[in-house]
Amino acid sequence: MVKLTNRIVDFDAKLDTAIEALHEEGRYRTFIDIERTKGAFPHADWNHPDGGKRPVTVWCGNDYLGMGQNSEVLEAMHEALDATGAGSGGTRNISGTTVYHKRLEAEMADLHGKEAALLFTSAYIANDATLSTLPKLFPGLIIYSDALNHASMIEGVRRNGGAKRIFKHNDVAHLRELLAADMMDNPTAPKLIAFESVYSMDGDFGPIEAICDLADEFGALTYIDEVHAVGMYGPRGGGVAERDNLMHRLDIINGTLAKAYGVMGGYIAASEKMCDAIRSYAPGFIFTTSLPPAIAAGAAASVAHLKGNQELRDQQQTQARILKMRLKGLGLPIIDHGSHIVPVIVGDPVHTKKLSDMLLEDYGIYVQPINYPTVPRGTERLRFTPSPVHGPEEIDKLVKAMDALWSHCALNRAELTA
């Protein structure tokens, strides 16, 4: 390979500097190479750097209900693959809309009690594309965004070209202050409040009803991200808004098909006019190849299955409660807001990575360290996501491993950094 030497800027050196900075801070991200086996989840094989394979239990996946190995989902995907082939063949506008895409959108609209739904390649793209497009539809739009909203929402709000207001996390009083101030300055400006139902890093819930009340008072639209809640809450898996009977008060609902539903893709559910406008104006929708029909078929089967399967949701919540109770019994600093997510705060990126490595190497337990910028500095953590297929044996092994490491290593910083 011939290396160009006449460049004024040494690009390789700058890349080295950027990557080395992550190493020095202890937050360089290492990707663990695992092989999932159908029917065996949460057990998998870790392709070890030495070339061998080691069995591991996955404790940090987002396949919250194990639907990625559900027989109905797999059968639907096989049927669609055999019928249509691998890819969709184009964007939704150019040959990439199939009966499978339309069927999935109908399932999502029905799930959320909305007139329509619009399918994207991921919930990240759905958030980014929708929030960045709304000011084109509502000139002068002011978006009020929760301080802990997901990166995809932040990016969409940042790129939208409209006015932005950040309110303190779950602080309805602060949100009211911002809305009232803008109402005084520009009472006719269109407004939208963007927030989440379950915040994935702390596992806390957004104050949906209180925010809807403010939206009614100030004439604002509501935009909720239910990514970590769809499939998990509500009598049919419609999310926290369904559980609390508030879906009808939300204008736009964002969700994913890649977590509780175990497949891939994202969407928004809203009125027919809203979906039509986003479909017609959002570059993130217009210029992206649509999901493969087999993916859409599997996702539709998963959504339909979970609409009638409360047992899986109940099992998952039970496993989460058991794990929290046992970790609390060890005196570990877990965050418990009553959701299905179990964060254990370590508070330092180097120590968090060390604990993760020791769990993997010594106990065959895979949990990825969560560091800045995903969470604020000083709140680095291990984030456990129990599922219905994490049984008593898996929980017992995890608790014993955490007890041993925390007691003998995690509180001994010298040993952790050795």
Side-chain angles (χ1 to χ4, degrees):
M1 177 179 175
V2 179
K3 185 175 182 179
L4 298 176
T5 58
N6 61 343
R7 288 176 172 160
I8 296 174
V9 177
D10 188 340
F11 292 99
D12 282 347
K14 290 188 177 295
L15 292 174
D16 288 338
T17 299
I19 294 171
E20 182 58 31
L22 296 178
H23 281 290
E24 289 177 356
E25 292 181 38
R27 60 186 186 92
Y28 178 78
R29 298 177 186 231
T30 302
F31 299 155
I32 305 301
D33 182 3
I34 64 171
E35 293 183 22
R36 285 170 57 123
T37 302
K38 182 180 69 174
F41 185 77
H43 302 290
D45 286 326
W46 170 33
N47 292 321
H48 195 270
D50 66 9
K53 290 182 183 290
R54 297 189 187 178
V56 296
T57 301
V58 179
W59 270 101
C60 58
N62 286 332
D63 188 356
Y64 291 140
L65 300 177
M67 290 300 293
Q69 57 187 1
N70 178 271
S71 60
E72 293 179 21
V73 172
L74 299 181
E75 182 180 352
M77 294 181 73
H78 280 297
E79 289 179 357
L81 183 64
D82 291 339
T84 67
S88 68
T91 65
R92 288 292 297 274
N93 182 51
I94 304 176
S95 80
T97 295
T98 70
V99 64
Y100 301 99
H101 298 87
K102 299 302 292 183
R103 186 179 300 157
L104 177 54
E105 287 175 336
E107 285 282 4
M108 305 321 302
D110 172 74
L111 177 67
H112 293 293
K114 299 300 182 186
E115 293 176 348
L118 194 62
L119 180 63
F120 292 80
T121 51
S122 73
Y124 187 108
I125 299 299
N127 271 332
D128 184 19
T130 303
L131 288 167
S132 63
T133 298
L134 287 169
K136 300 176 186 177
L137 307 174
F138 308 110
L141 178 68
I142 303 172
I143 295 184
Y144 303 81
S145 179
D146 187 286
L148 293 189
N149 276 343
H150 189 264
S152 58
M153 301 175 75
I154 293 171
E155 186 67 12
V157 172
R158 184 187 68 81
R159 294 197 308 107
N160 68 27
K164 312 161 189 67
R165 309 282 187 263
I166 309 301
F167 62 93
K168 299 173 185 176
H169 177 54
N170 280 351
D171 192 330
V172 178
H174 186 222
L175 175 58
R176 169 182 281 281
E177 291 176 10
L178 296 175
L179 286 162
D182 285 325
M183 183 63 74
M184 291 288 291
D185 293 340
N186 189 358
T188 61
K191 301 172 178 63
L192 178 141
I193 305 170
F195 63 108
E196 299 185 37
S197 63
V198 178
Y199 290 84
S200 63
M201 289 299 111
D202 284 355
D204 56 333
F205 295 94
I208 302 175
E209 185 171 18
I211 288 177
C212 288
D213 289 343
L214 279 182
D216 290 346
E217 181 180 346
F218 289 93
L221 293 171
T222 49
Y223 184 107
I224 189 170
D225 179 311
E226 289 255 39
V227 161
H228 289 273
V230 289
M232 304 293 294
Y233 299 90
R236 298 200 307 157
V240 179
E242 184 194 31
R243 183 197 69 182
D244 297 345
N245 195 30
L246 294 169
M247 285 196 299
H248 63 287
R249 301 187 64 186
L250 296 157
D251 295 293
I252 304 173
I253 298 174
N254 169 279
T256 185
L257 301 159
K259 291 183 170 59
Y261 295 118
V263 192
M264 181 184 177
Y267 63 91
I268 61 168
S271 68
E272 184 72 50
K273 285 185 180 179
M274 182 68 76
C275 288
D276 190 25
I278 297 298
R279 178 188 71 88
S280 302
Y281 280 87
F285 179 85
I286 296 169
F287 298 106
T288 301
T289 299
S290 64
L291 288 172
I295 296 293
S302 185
V303 173
H305 178 85
L306 286 178
K307 283 178 179 177
N309 194 323
Q310 183 62 34
E311 183 180 358
L312 274 178
R313 286 186 280 278
D314 291 341
Q315 290 174 353
Q316 196 282 330
Q317 291 289 335
T318 297
Q319 300 303 72
R321 283 193 296 270
I322 291 172
L323 180 60
K324 289 176 185 177
M325 178 184 66
R326 295 196 61 184
L327 292 177
K328 285 179 181 178
L330 298 177
L332 300 190
I334 79 165
I335 300 175
D336 184 4
H337 291 287
S339 74
H340 59 284
I341 294 168
V342 186
V344 177
I345 301 298
V346 181
D348 178 271
V350 174
H351 303 154
T352 308
K353 178 66 165 59
K354 186 69 173 179
L355 275 172
S356 173
D357 289 346
M358 295 169 78
L359 284 167
L360 185 64
E361 285 279 2
D362 300 340
Y363 295 91
I365 292 171
Y366 171 43
V367 56
Q368 193 74 8
I370 306 294
N371 295 324
Y372 177 84
T374 306
V375 295
R377 285 188 172 92
T379 70
E380 292 83 2
R381 66 198 63 185
L382 299 176
R383 175 180 173 272
F384 298 98
T385 53
S387 75
V389 290
H390 287 89
E393 183 177 341
E394 287 80 14
I395 292 177
D396 196 52
K397 183 178 179 181
L398 171 62
V399 170
K400 289 179 178 178
M402 287 295 290
D403 187 25
L405 292 179
W406 202 272
S407 299
H408 299 99
C409 300
L411 299 181
N412 186 334
R413 292 179 180 268
E415 185 172 348
L416 272 172
T417 56

